[in-house]
Amino acid sequence: MLAVIFLSNLEERCDCSHIQWKHSSYIASTLQNHKDEINNQNDTESQLSSKIAIVIRDFEFFENDISETVSSILSVLPSVKVFIISDQKPYPPLEIDEVHKKSIQFISLKPSLSRPSDFLNPFSIIDKEHILIFPDSVRISNISQILEMLKQHYNDPNKIIAASVENTDSVCLTLNVSLRYWTMKYRKNAHYSKCDALEGTHVFLITKALLLHLTFPFAQPFSTSLFIQASLLNVKTHIASNITFQRGKPLFSNPHTKWKHDLFEKQRRESLYHDFGIKKIIFPASKVEWHGCNKNTARCFGTVINNMPEYLFQNRWTPPCCLEHLRQTARYVFSILEKCGVRYWLEGGSLLGAVRTGDIIPWDYDVDIGIYKEDIQKCEWLKNSLQQSIVDTHGFVWEKAVEGDFIRVQFSRTNHLHVDIFPFYSRNGTMTKDTWFSDHKQDTEFPEHFLKPFYQIKFVGMTVSVPNNYKEFLEFKFGKGVIQNPEYPNPNVMKFNKRRTIPFFT
């Protein structure tokens, strides 16, 4: 939850589509001081090692090439410090050459009662300006590879420098992260100096100052986590020209270890997306990957209090998976009502969304429908749901709502995203019902002439019935200008909440 709140405040406060990293001038100045040293080919290995630290983050305990990777690094940079970071102490223990152990420090990110909290912070130990992040099973050929990466870095110190590993097809991507919409979108990008993300295996050169600026600098998978957070800071990645690191021994070459590695990688990604609050990922060629709720899980938010779902207090809108399941449920209910000949119309905020955009309001959490009460007898699902809760053949749940005399259709028995169906009846030309909500200002009686005849409008991908003169109908219920002036359900609460927002990012 803290990750979601932090990242949401970061996007809101910083306009993340155009943010400029505030420490850029400091880093530019710092790196400029070393420009001549780095550019000087006579710079000694010890001088270089005093400026950089090596970090190895992504590796598997059950099969790795850490020992040979470290040996390769120290054969070129014998004075450099190598930090191996893992979520917990590796088991089985890593086999490291005794000669190299003095140059290596292990950092476990798992809290332990035997260690103070400072031990969980890698930056209390890593004291170098520049950090090289190495994947497992990579080899260094010579010191010039590192010098060239540093040289390209000082030309634009606000970038991340990435050098490819042999047999990797480096693909430059544009990445748009919208925390408000819980969504990431990748697109291919031909500008290799302005990548938001990369496909393939790479060695990364990053300043310590940038890593300190990230909320989760060593979250796994490292590259995915890095690109997401860097994108929010508008920090680009540049693919270093003419630098390629060699691969070490092949890993996960048999079917079992490959299956195990793929499974662990999937679990790490799912955990990362959960922590960052990412529910929908759009890849090139419009491939979509979901990491939110479904019919077999609970919805992504809890009980709604005072019409204000919790995600609004995180400065986010309805998770996209929830919206998609709401659309699916609404389309299903419309088809049933039309098949049964039940007279229905969109009500409340659902009608507002239909008129504004043809869709559910981006922060809404249900769909409201009005029907003629006498038409309940036309539909077995409606009629029987008043007696008992029913799960139909498509897994939707029809039941009488506990809040009053209306019918609720839930996405599933587990996932309580729902459509509410309110039975109205005519009394002296006025449409009324038996259950009212005092905290819904739009929940009021209205003249029946708005329903004679119905009007048709597009909503959630199909044509549905709405009151005629729907603009007048909406203004009758909500007030003048309601279509043109979107408003949260309880704007006064939101204003108060924003005043009390803790400034996590300055």
Side-chain angles (χ1 to χ4, degrees):
M1 184 64 69
L2 180 60
V4 172
I5 294 173
F6 177 91
L7 292 171
S8 297
N9 278 280
L10 175 62
E11 185 178 49
E12 178 192 18
R13 291 170 61 83
C14 303
D15 185 13
C16 290
S17 59
H18 299 93
I19 185 171
Q20 294 297 323
W21 186 27
K22 293 186 177 182
H23 290 283
S24 60
S25 59
Y26 163 76
I27 294 174
S29 173
T30 302
L31 290 183
Q32 185 62 37
N33 291 336
H34 299 295
K35 176 178 178 180
D36 295 335
E37 294 179 75
I38 296 170
N39 200 33
N40 184 353
Q41 295 301 311
N42 295 322
D43 196 5
T44 66
E45 181 276 330
S46 61
Q47 289 175 315
L48 180 59
S49 295
S50 70
K51 299 181 178 70
I52 66 171
I54 305 291
V55 168
I56 300 175
R57 177 63 177 111
D58 286 335
F59 63 96
E60 300 289 3
F61 293 175
F62 64 88
E63 182 178 343
N64 59 70
D65 189 37
I66 296 295
S67 179
E68 293 303 318
T69 300
V70 170
S71 294
S72 174
I73 293 169
L74 294 178
S75 68
V76 174
L77 298 167
S79 303
V80 79
K81 193 71 176 179
V82 179
F83 298 89
I84 300 176
I85 301 177
S86 64
D87 290 334
Q88 59 190 39
K89 190 173 182 179
Y91 180 82
L94 297 176
E95 297 180 359
I96 302 295
D97 192 310
E98 288 292 332
V99 177
H100 297 144
K101 284 187 176 180
K102 66 180 184 299
S103 300
I104 299 170
Q105 186 151 358
F106 293 93
I107 301 175
S108 172
L109 301 180
K110 184 178 181 179
S112 170
L113 292 175
S114 64
R115 299 180 304 164
S117 59
D118 283 352
F119 279 73
L120 298 177
N121 178 13
F123 297 111
S124 65
I125 304 170
I126 302 173
D127 60 354
K128 307 303 180 184
E129 280 183 61
H130 313 285
I131 299 175
L132 280 159
I133 314 291
F134 271 76
D136 191 11
S137 196
V138 171
R139 306 289 186 261
I140 301 180
S141 299
N142 52 68
I143 197 171
S144 64
Q145 292 175 298
I146 310 302
L147 289 170
E148 184 59 30
M149 289 183 74
L150 285 167
K151 181 179 178 181
Q152 294 187 32
H153 204 200
Y154 74 64
N155 289 330
D156 193 344
N158 295 316
K159 286 184 177 178
I160 298 165
I161 301 298
S164 62
V165 178
E166 67 177 348
N167 300 323
T168 282
D169 184 15
S170 294
V171 178
C172 180
L173 300 170
T174 296
L175 172 60
N176 294 317
V177 181
S178 175
L179 297 178
R180 172 165 285 179
Y181 287 95
W182 313 73
T183 297
M184 302 191 326
K185 183 175 183 179
Y186 292 97
R187 290 182 290 109
K188 288 191 176 181
N189 182 1
H191 302 286
Y192 274 51
S193 62
K194 297 180 180 180
C195 305
D196 293 316
L198 296 174
E199 289 182 358
T201 306
H202 300 84
V203 173
F204 297 102
L205 174 62
I206 311 170
T207 60
K208 179 179 177 179
L210 171 56
L211 283 175
L212 281 168
H213 219 61
L214 305 182
T215 317
F216 301 96
F218 294 111
Q220 287 185 298
F222 176 79
S223 60
T224 304
S225 168
L226 174 67
F227 294 140
I228 293 172
Q229 296 178 84
S231 176
L232 290 172
L233 296 170
N234 200 29
V235 172
K236 304 295 182 181
T237 298
H238 171 69
I239 301 178
S241 56
N242 304 318
I243 304 175
T244 302
F245 288 87
Q246 293 178 324
R247 283 193 183 273
K249 73 174 186 180
L251 296 174
F252 322 121
S253 55
N254 72 65
H256 176 71
T257 55
K258 184 179 186 309
W259 167 83
K260 194 171 181 180
H261 169 67
D262 291 345
L263 175 64
F264 285 2
E265 275 290 278
K266 180 181 178 182
Q267 291 172 345
R268 286 188 283 261
R269 288 183 188 279
E270 289 176 348
S271 178
L272 179 74
Y273 297 141
H274 176 270
D275 290 344
F276 284 9
I278 301 298
K279 306 288 187 183
K280 182 180 181 181
I281 305 173
I282 306 170
F283 293 99
S286 298
K287 175 190 173 185
V288 177
E289 187 174 284
W290 293 95
H291 292 271
C293 63
N294 55 55
K295 272 191 178 288
N296 298 317
T297 70
R299 66 187 184 184
C300 297
F301 55 94
T303 301
V304 177
I305 309 297
N306 296 327
N307 300 319
M308 294 290 290
E310 60 183 321
Y311 49 79
L312 287 182
F313 291 94
Q314 301 168 13
N315 301 308
R316 294 192 172 203
W317 288 351
T318 312
C321 47
C322 295
L323 283 176
E324 188 58 36
H325 300 328
L326 271 178
R327 295 184 189 104
Q328 184 179 343
T329 307
R331 288 193 292 264
Y332 181 74
V333 171
F334 294 140
S335 66
I336 294 293
L337 297 181
E338 290 176 0
K339 183 178 180 180
C340 294
V342 174
R343 292 168 292 173
Y344 74 89
W345 63 93
L346 285 181
E347 269 287 338
S350 301
L351 178 59
L352 262 178
V355 172
R356 286 175 183 157
T357 65
D359 202 354
I360 299 167
I361 292 174
W363 53 85
D364 210 350
Y365 53 87
D366 63 7
V367 172
D368 294 332
I369 299 174
I371 64 169
Y372 274 89
K373 186 174 183 177
E374 57 263 38
D375 287 359
I376 288 177
Q377 301 304 313
K378 297 179 180 179
C379 180
E380 291 296 319
W381 294 114
L382 295 177
K383 182 172 61 175
N384 294 334
S385 66
L386 295 174
Q387 307 302 319
Q388 61 180 338
S389 178
I390 304 169
V391 181
D392 68 19
T393 54
H394 294 275
F396 294 96
V397 181
W398 299 71
E399 60 187 8
K400 183 179 181 296
V402 297
E403 298 92 334
D405 293 324
F406 62 97
I407 296 163
R408 177 162 290 163
V409 184
Q410 294 182 165
F411 183 54
S412 73
R413 183 67 80 186
T414 306
N415 191 320
H416 294 172
L417 291 163
H418 58 265
V419 172
D420 285 338
I421 304 173
F422 296 96
F424 284 80
Y425 53 92
S426 179
R427 185 170 59 195
N428 300 322
T430 297
M431 296 302 293
T432 188
K433 57 188 176 77
D434 295 326
T435 295
W436 302 97
F437 297 98
S438 58
D439 55 348
H440 289 55
K441 64 181 181 179
Q442 75 279 7
D443 195 20
T444 182
E445 297 176 336
F446 61 90
E448 188 179 10
H449 67 74
F450 282 112
L451 306 180
K452 294 185 175 180
F454 288 118
Y455 189 73
Q456 300 294 305
I457 197 172
K458 291 288 186 180
F459 182 64
V460 297
M462 63 186 300
T463 302
V464 301
S465 297
V466 298
N468 59 65
N469 296 317
Y470 51 76
K471 179 180 179 182
E472 181 183 342
F473 179 85
L474 286 169
E475 292 188 341
F476 176 87
K477 288 211 166 194
F478 289 93
K480 293 289 185 182
V482 65
I483 297 174
Q484 298 83 5
N485 301 301
E487 191 175 85
Y488 286 136
N490 195 335
N492 292 328
V493 173
M494 284 304 295
K495 288 177 184 177
F496 176 73
N497 180 62
K498 286 185 177 182
R499 286 199 301 270
R500 297 177 69 247
T501 298
I502 298 173
F504 289 101
F505 181 90
T506 58

